[in-house]
Amino acid sequence: QVQLVESGGGSVQAGGSLRLSCTASGSTSSIKYMAWFRQAPGKEREGVAAIATRGGSTAYVDSVKGRFTISQDNAENTVSLQMNSLKPEDTAMYYCAAGSHPALFWLRARTYDYWGQGTQVTVTS
């Protein structure tokens, strides 16, 4: 069992930055991938960024490439999402996810077994 806790959400003006953090606890040695998803009201859940805990390879959805960076910290038990040049369309509830199974598609929800509670990101124009 893995528990995930997100922090760092808030409200920021367009063009600003936020840094989200996700701390994992429990059976963390089983985690192969960690990721950030987001969901805006009335819209489908979207994979934003993912990282392989062994090796550090990353994947991003096209809309955030060059603006967002996912990284591992503190002996791989914490994953952060640095969000720069934020746009109003980035407004959503952001969820941290962890996966324990091998996977090819790192931005698909089915890859992940565990989910955090979510943290709200609001970008105003």
Side-chain angles (χ1 to χ4, degrees), residues 4-113:
L4 304 173
V5 179
E6 304 106 325
S7 63
S11 182
V12 65
Q13 287 189 245
S17 298
L18 284 173
R19 186 176 179 89
L20 307 182
S21 294
C22 175
T23 299
S25 61
S27 186
T28 58
S29 62
S30 69
I31 298 173
K32 290 181 169 60
Y33 307 96
M34 295 189 72
W36 290 94
F37 287 74
R38 65 187 180 187
Q39 188 165 26
K43 298 186 70 175
E44 205 168 67
R45 181 172 50 182
E46 176 185 44
V48 177
I51 187 165
T53 59
R54 194 174 186 180
S57 297
T58 59
Y60 299 91
V61 67
D62 286 346
S63 62
V64 309
K65 287 180 179 176
R67 299 190 297 122
F68 291 10
T69 303
I70 189 169
S71 60
Q72 295 174 286
D73 305 288
N74 302 324
E76 303 178 31
N77 67 333
T78 299
V79 170
S80 296
L81 184 69
Q82 179 66 46
M83 304 185 294
N84 298 327
S85 302
L86 283 161
K87 304 174 180 179
E89 49 263 48
D90 295 318
T91 295
M93 185 72 75
Y94 282 70
Y95 297 91
C96 180
S100 61
H101 305 288
L104 293 176
F105 303 104
W106 297 2
L107 297 180
R108 290 204 311 199
R110 64 178 293 178
T111 294
Y112 299 93
D113 309 296

